[in-house]
Structure formats: C-alpha cells, structure tokens
Amino acid sequence: MKVIKVKNYEELSAVGAEIVIGEIKKNAKAVLGLATGSTPVGMYDLLIKACREGVSFKNVSTLNLDEYVSLGADSPDSYVSFMRDKLFDHIDIDIKNTHLPDGNADDLDKECARYSALIAAMPRAVQVLGLGRNGHIGFNEPNTPFDSATHVVELTADTVEANARLFERKEDVPRFAITMGIAEIMQAKKIVLLASGANKAQAVYAAVKGEVSELCPASVLQRHGDAVIVADEDAYALL
Ligand code: F6R
C-alpha cells in the first residue's frame, strides 16, 4: 500500500483526478469504480474540467459503490441523483454506462445478486474510495467479512450521524443501504482511497499502520497489490 501525503483538499482532488484521467488515457473504454460523499467532489469537478478540455468519457463505464435502500432517481438524496448532479450530467458519458445498485428494487437480495454479476462482468481499472470515520469503505461497516459480495447493510449510528449533514432532517437519513462487498472492492486493478480532514486521521492511521482486521475495513487495502491512500495533512496527522 502506498500513501501519498498532500497539503490540502485541492491537492488531494488533483492527485485523484490525475490517476483517473491516466486510466482513461490508457484505455478509452476504462471502467471506473466511483464513490459518493463529500470527499471526491473536488476530484469530480476536475474531471468535468478535463472533459471540457478534451478528455472524453464517451466510452467509459462506471460502477458506484453503494445506494441507500428505498431511495432512487426520483429522490434528490439518492446516490444516483448525487452522481448525476456532481459528475454524470456534466460530462459526455453515456448515462446507460453508469451503474449503481437500485435502492428501490422490490427484491433486494435479487438486486444484490444482479449487481454482483455486473461487477464481475466489468473489471474496473480503478476504484475510488472515501473513508468512513470508523474505517468503513463503501458501506462496509466494521466487522463486515473481508470475503463479502454486494449486500444490504444496516448503517451504524455513527454513519447515520455523519450522513445527516446532507439531509434536511436527521429522521430522513435511511438506515439501510446496498453496498458493494469488500471482496469486490478488492478486485479492482487499482484502488485510490481519498481521505481529507482531521476527523479521518484515526481511520487513516488504523488503515495504514493498524493490523489487517475486519474491525477496520480499510485495513484490507494493505493486502492489495496496487492501493494508494491519498491523505491531506489533517488526515495524515497521526501517521
Ligand atoms: C460513499 C461511500 C462512503 C464514503 C465515506 C466517506 O459512496 O461509500 O464510504 O466514502 O462515508 O464519506 P465523506 O467523503 O462524505 O466523508
């Protein structure tokens, strides 16, 4: 596992964007694994800028990590709406090539199996990750088995609280989500985890220096052959 220390959020976003753009330049049909949350938004802004300057996403496909159960494209709080708003609607990607789990599916087990099959059929050149304060990746909370595939999770109180800032009312934050599993995250050829801010410092430390343990899902990245953690000064502080 490689750790890149950067000064601030701007530099973190630039390093993330450079890695993603590098993959598209290598292969115009690259499959990108993407994340939601606040952290990758600066990187997405730079991808939009790159597209305006000639980097084409026309043949690129994407697979997102997760979606809230019961929220879909008609909800502004869903991750599918987030991705359209922050990235997809501003680049030349074919929206048919963008994939997220369907949080509105009637049969969630079937939906998990469908998404797992899609992940298996679409090898990712790179998977972008954010990091939960408790070390989660995707919505794989502490104690999720490392061999997990796409599944439904009950979010921890800490994650619900962290996500509440994006909702008007705390009661509206969904308690369940569908997430790509840890084994599937690990199948990406390259993994880039972005961590910004002092509230991530403990999780960054546990992921990089702690023992590889299901108590800290991100520590599994120590076992990946090409994983990079990009951390700004505040997130890096305990290393
Ligand atoms: C989002 C996701 C989560 C976030 C994490 C950090 O798709 O899978 O693991 O990456 O909760 O969120 P932010 O970036 O908002 O601090």
Side-chain angles (χ1 to χ4, degrees), residues 35-40 65-66 79 130-132 136-139 165 200:
T36 57
S38 311
T39 314
L65 286 169
D66 39 23
Y79 282 167
L131 179 65
H136 74 216
I137 49 175
F139 274 138
R165 71 191 192 285
K200 302 294 172 70

Side-chain angles (χ1 to χ4, degrees), residues 98-118:
T98 67
H99 306 280
L100 289 93
D102 177 5
N104 264 333
D106 290 334
D107 183 334
L108 292 174
D109 288 340
K110 232 169 142 179
E111 175 55 14
C112 290
R114 181 196 72 86
Y115 205 65
S116 276
L118 199 61

Side-chain angles (χ1 to χ4, degrees), residues 139-160:
F139 274 138
N140 295 287
E141 302 284 23
N143 290 315
T144 305
F146 282 166
D147 63 0
S148 55
T150 300
H151 60 288
V152 174
V153 285
E154 181 167 10
L155 304 177
T156 62
D158 186 57
T159 298
V160 171

Side-chain angles (χ1 to χ4, degrees), residues 9 34-41 44 64-67 79 82-83 127-141 159 162-163 165-166 179 185 194-196 199-200:
Y9 183 69
L34 299 179
T36 57
S38 311
T39 314
V41 171
Y44 292 152
N64 261 80
L65 286 169
D66 39 23
E67 178 60 284
Y79 282 167
F82 178 98
M83 288 308 299
Q127 174 67 56
V128 176
L129 298 175
L131 179 65
R133 301 188 296 205
N134 60 6
H136 74 216
I137 49 175
F139 274 138
N140 295 287
E141 302 284 23
T159 298
N163 293 354
R165 71 191 192 285
L166 303 169
T179 184
I185 289 174
L194 305 175
S196 170
N199 64 348
K200 302 294 172 70

Side-chain angles (χ1 to χ4, degrees), residues 78-96:
S78 67
Y79 282 167
V80 61
S81 297
F82 178 98
M83 288 308 299
R84 291 192 75 133
D85 185 42
K86 303 295 184 212
L87 183 65
F88 299 153
D89 286 352
H90 311 286
I91 56 176
D92 63 343
I93 199 161
D94 182 343
I95 205 73
K96 289 200 295 295

